[in-house]
Amino acid sequence: MKLTRRMTLAAFAGVLALGTAMPAYAADLIAIITPSHDNPFFKAEAVGAEAKAKELGYEALVLVHDDDANKQSELIDTAIGRGAKAIILDNAGADATVAAVQKAKDAGIPSFLIDREINATGVAVAQIVSNNYQGAQLGAQEFVKLMGEKGNFVELVGKESDTNAGIRSKGYHDVIDDYPDLKMVAQQSANWSQTEAYSKMESILQANPDIKGVISGNDTMAMGAYAALAAAGRKDVIVVGFDGSNDVRDSITSGGIKATVLQPAFAQAQMAVVQADDFIKNKKSPAQEKQLMDCVLVNGDNAKKLETFALTN
């Protein structure tokens, strides 16, 4: 599904500032629904959205669906029952979520999607997502450079029902596959999980002791893979992640993981709340439903500037 609009941090900083200045109705409720806060990326989304909602005078109902589409549907029922004025949602599946968002729309509650798109248009008011393909290409280019354009490598893929997992993998391969001396010896899903990535990496390493690199669909899996490699005495293996978490920042600055790709989770979630606020008060939809935000490479050169999924000056 093609995304039609690109937005960078610089482009929407002014929008956030404008949203901050708007008055709000104190009794109104915004529901914020994300995957588990065990992943710092999703926690940053929830924290950012809740902070902006309260700043604008709303009550915030923060809920977690744990990537379970049935639970997500129940939580949307909760939001409807509580009379939420809008839903901010990082969804539990591109196909499985369509009916739940339609249910909210039929109840008169607009949804503003962040991070993950759904396989339908005209159901949500907005879908604000990172340019995962562009970001994956940045990460892959850095990975190729770090690998010296040759060697055996492993790819850890995210949850298969998540559109972002496939987009990132394609972005990686559209770069890496141009280098014939880079050979992928294993590709497995670790479902965005650090624990699962650790166990998968242990097994992969036993079967492929000569690997030189690991490219991961997110930072959480990258951390699990690096921990398994370190436990096996293989800190020489190059690991690259995706998200821009503080954990990976610390690993980069200490000489562990080599790079990641930053997607601004905190600011993305806040922008969704600003757009929801404008819709609630003025019935104004964003110019485009699909809004695409560019990602930024983070490595040893700029890792110290990274804080809570944003680069500081």
Side-chain angles (χ1 to χ4, degrees):
M1 188 180 295
K2 186 176 180 182
L3 298 173
T4 57
R5 189 179 181 189
R6 178 170 297 177
M7 302 191 75
T8 63
L9 285 171
F12 64 75
V15 178
L16 291 180
L18 178 61
T20 301
M22 294 178 180
Y25 308 110
D28 289 346
L29 176 71
I30 290 179
I32 300 159
I33 308 174
T34 70
S36 171
H37 295 179
D38 289 345
N39 184 318
F41 182 86
F42 302 132
K43 182 177 181 180
E45 288 180 332
V47 170
E50 181 179 18
K52 179 58 67 174
K54 289 182 176 179
E55 181 181 317
L56 291 169
Y58 294 91
E59 294 180 11
L61 176 64
V62 179
L63 303 168
V64 171
H65 59 56
D66 293 319
D67 278 313
D68 181 331
N70 291 326
K71 183 176 181 181
Q72 174 181 257
S73 182
E74 293 170 358
L75 295 178
I76 286 178
D77 286 338
T78 298
I80 293 169
R82 291 281 300 272
K85 298 297 183 182
I87 296 171
I88 310 299
L89 175 65
D90 190 338
N91 72 78
D95 292 315
T97 299
V98 175
V101 174
Q102 182 67 55
K103 176 170 57 176
K105 181 180 180 181
D106 292 343
I109 301 174
S111 295
F112 296 78
L113 274 55
I114 55 175
D115 181 42
R116 303 168 176 176
E117 60 184 302
I118 56 173
N119 291 332
T121 57
V123 182
V125 175
Q127 299 192 52
I128 307 170
V129 301
S130 298
N131 190 341
N132 285 278
Y133 182 79
Q134 170 262 347
Q137 289 199 307
L138 285 179
Q141 289 162 4
E142 183 73 358
F143 185 71
V144 168
K145 177 181 174 183
L146 291 164
M147 293 282 288
E149 302 183 6
K150 62 184 179 181
N152 293 341
F153 74 95
V154 172
E155 181 188 7
L156 292 178
V157 184
K159 195 174 183 69
E160 292 179 0
S161 64
D162 186 340
T163 304
N164 290 345
I167 293 173
R168 291 176 194 175
S169 184
K170 177 173 172 52
Y172 287 156
H173 285 279
D174 282 353
V175 173
I176 296 171
D177 291 354
D178 286 340
Y179 297 86
D181 292 331
L182 282 168
K183 302 183 185 301
M184 185 173 69
V185 296
Q187 181 188 52
Q188 293 192 28
S189 171
N191 292 301
W192 305 129
S193 165
Q194 184 166 336
T195 302
E196 191 169 340
Y198 186 98
S199 62
K200 291 284 177 71
M201 193 69 247
E202 280 187 317
S203 299
I204 291 170
L205 188 58
Q206 289 173 3
N208 303 276
D210 59 345
I211 62 169
K212 184 180 174 183
V214 177
I215 192 162
S216 173
N218 79 343
D219 280 352
T220 306
M221 295 187 300
M223 290 291 292
Y226 185 76
L229 290 163
R234 292 297 309 276
K235 291 186 177 182
D236 59 301
V237 177
I238 293 160
V239 179
V240 170
F242 195 114
D243 275 345
S245 71
N246 286 358
D247 287 341
V248 166
R249 172 204 64 195
D250 294 343
S251 183
I252 292 171
T253 57
S254 65
I257 292 172
K258 299 304 180 187
T260 185
V261 176
L262 167 66
Q263 49 173 346
F266 189 90
Q268 186 179 93
Q270 292 207 321
M271 182 159 191
V273 174
V274 169
Q275 292 187 6
D277 178 61
D278 200 18
F279 187 87
I280 292 165
K281 296 191 182 73
N282 306 313
K283 297 301 178 187
K284 182 180 178 182
S285 299
Q288 299 285 343
E289 176 182 334
K290 296 292 187 66
Q291 300 166 59
L292 194 60
M293 297 163 50
D294 276 350
C295 301
V296 179
L297 179 70
V298 176
N299 56 22
D301 294 334
N302 61 353
K304 290 182 178 179
K305 297 181 180 179
L306 181 61
E307 179 58 48
T308 316
F309 299 97
L311 285 173
T312 59
N313 294 325

